[in-house]
């Protein structure tokens, strides 16, 4: 057996493609079938077409090696060696590896995020800023806070971070108001944080809001005002109240007599008797009940009957025509996790091989949600052919309000298999037979790597 790569070295930009020709000559005396497979660091984004060559003695056949490095940090910038394993079926002990080298071009991509977007505090507040390096080379980012006016002080610690490819850097953010709000309710202060990448003149601006409640809440002032008004009303009624007094004493008729002379005690004056009519104090009306404190749901004491929890949806396995199962790489749940394949049905990483199919009849499309990462869907990364998972709002997953790169069509092929077509690009999901990443490619009904079987989870 004789093999050759033409050319043995080439270059490619991330997100683009490059091709290398593999020549295989049968130097034996029997018909031989050769199985071809890309090995090395490029195996996740390279494939051979066709992957099987049948060659007669003394004859020669060729195959194309397609390289499609993703525009992610997995395709490191610089030269990368690769190999194509050529394994004869009749004489496997003569397996050979044709070696070559491909140079991946550099690119830089930064994604920054303010966590959280809205912070709250009476005297100060804390937040953080995250910087993700989505490129394939190291970058440096610096931060500077800017207030709208002089009402806030925005400081970051540290002032800059260095982030390796595929990694994230973090900095703490401290926000202090220029003055304390003692009374007056809640005030909102917008602020801006600039993230400047080294070598780029224009910064990325992140906008947030600082919510500053007053030290004395408004409801305390309202309660104090009501109590003061009631106390004042009580005092006014107390001082205005005067009980009425009357007498029933009358002069007795008869002859007048001479009073004795000398020391005599004066007759006592008639005493006044109280009046039968007594005024009653007016009682203040009872305070009005707070509607917000009224029990909700009506009377009766029993309350409404609680609904039972809905049963979970049925899960499926998605198996390629080659027998490999579609799975979330190593059971991770973070955004951007690759979707790869596994030759065996396994629960080593939980339910990362279980898939929930959400059907949207109005467009006859589907969203593929991994059971181990609820709230995430199968996503064709924008401007690439990489398959990954990415979180979406639960309401959008339920109703189908998803972008085209997160919705798929399931189309039957003549051979009984199903092809999974990305709505956004029209490309078919391809079985790469590795655990790193599945990709999308131009649909071909004759390729087993683009045919899938959908079965209920056993």
């Amino acid at each position: 057996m004789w093999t050759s790569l033409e050319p043995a070295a080439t270059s490619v930009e991330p997100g683009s493609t490059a091709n290398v020709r593999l020549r295989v000559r049968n130097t034996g005396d029997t018909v031989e079938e050769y199985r071809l497979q890309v090995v090395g660091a490029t195996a996740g984004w390279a494939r051979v077409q066709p992957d099987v060559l049948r060659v007669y003695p003394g004859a020669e056949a060729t195959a194309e090696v397609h390289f499609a490095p993703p525009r992610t940090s997995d395709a490191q910038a610089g030269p990368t060696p690769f190999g194509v394993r050529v394994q004869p079926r009749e004489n496997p002990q003569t397996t050979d590896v044709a070696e070559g080298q491909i140079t991946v071009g550099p690119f830089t991509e930064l994604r920054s995020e303010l966590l959280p977007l809205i912070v709250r505090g009476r005297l100060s507040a804390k937040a953080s800023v995250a910087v993700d390096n989505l490129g394939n080379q190291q970058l440096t980012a610096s931060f500077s806070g800017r207030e709208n006016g002089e009402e806030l002080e925005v400081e970051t610690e540290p002032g800059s971070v260095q982030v390796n490819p595929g990694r994230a850097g973090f900095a703490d953010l401290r926000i202090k108001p220029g003055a304390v709000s003692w009374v007056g309710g809640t005030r909102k202060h917008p602020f801006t944080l600039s993230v400047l990448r080294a070598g780029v003149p224009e910064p990325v601006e992140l906008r947030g809001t600082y919510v500053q409640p007053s030290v004395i809440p408004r409801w305390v002032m309202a309660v104090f005002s009501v109590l003061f008004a009631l106390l004042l009303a009580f005092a006014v009624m107390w001082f205005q109240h005067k009980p009425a007094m009357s007498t029933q004493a009358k002069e007795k008729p008869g002859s007048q007599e001479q009073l004795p002379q000398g020391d005599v005690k004066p007759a006592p004056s008639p005493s006044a008797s109280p009046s039968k009519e007594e005024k009653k104090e007016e009682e203040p009306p009872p305070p009005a009940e707070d509607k917000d404190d009224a029990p909700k749901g009506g009377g009766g004491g029993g309350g409404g009957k609680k609904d039972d929890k809905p049963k979970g949806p049925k899960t499926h396995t998605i198996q390629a025509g080659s027998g490999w199962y579609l799975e979330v790489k190593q059971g991770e749940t973070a955004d951007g996790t690759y979707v790869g394949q596994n030759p065996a049905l396994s629960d080593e990483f939980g339910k990362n091989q279980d898939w929930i199919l959400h059907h949207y009849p109005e467009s006859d499309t589907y969203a593929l949600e991994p059971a181990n990462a609820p709230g995430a869907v199968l996503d064709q990364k924008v401007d690439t052919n990489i398959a990954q998972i990415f979180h979406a709002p639960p309401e959008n997953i339920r109703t189908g309000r998803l972008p085209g790169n997160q919705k798929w069509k399931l189309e039957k092929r003549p051979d009984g298999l199903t092809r999974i077509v990305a709505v956004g690009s029209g490309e078919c999901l391809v079985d790469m037979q590795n655990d790193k990443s599945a990709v999308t490619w131009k649909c071909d009904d004759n390729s087993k790597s683009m045919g899938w079987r959908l079965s209920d989870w056993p």
Side-chain angles (χ1 to χ4, degrees), residues 50-70:
D51 55 1
V52 176
L53 294 176
R54 188 175 178 86
V55 186
Y56 288 93
E60 181 179 304
T62 61
E64 291 288 334
V65 184
H66 301 281
F67 296 95

Side-chain angles (χ1 to χ4, degrees), residues 120-123 181 185-187 210-215:
R120 186 183 183 92
R122 288 183 172 86
L123 304 179
S181 175
T186 302
R187 303 174 63 187
Y210 169 58
V211 179
Q212 182 188 14
S214 58
V215 176

Side-chain angles (χ1 to χ4, degrees), residues 302-372:
K305 181 179 179 182
K306 295 183 179 178
D307 297 334
D308 295 334
K309 292 183 179 179
K311 297 180 180 179
K314 182 183 295 184
T315 57
H316 300 75
T317 59
I318 302 177
Q319 184 183 17
S322 64
W324 289 58
Y325 292 88
L326 194 68
E327 68 174 15
V328 181
K329 183 178 178 183
Q330 296 184 350
E332 297 181 7
T333 60
D335 287 349
T337 300
Y338 284 174
V339 173
Q341 303 89 44
N342 193 324
L345 188 62
S346 167
D347 61 354
E348 178 183 359
F349 298 107
K351 297 182 179 180
N352 67 320
Q353 292 180 341
D354 301 11
W355 296 86
I356 302 171
L357 275 61
H358 299 274
H359 185 216
Y360 311 117
E362 65 277 1
S363 59
D364 195 21
T365 57
Y366 292 79
L368 279 61
E369 179 184 19
N372 77 305

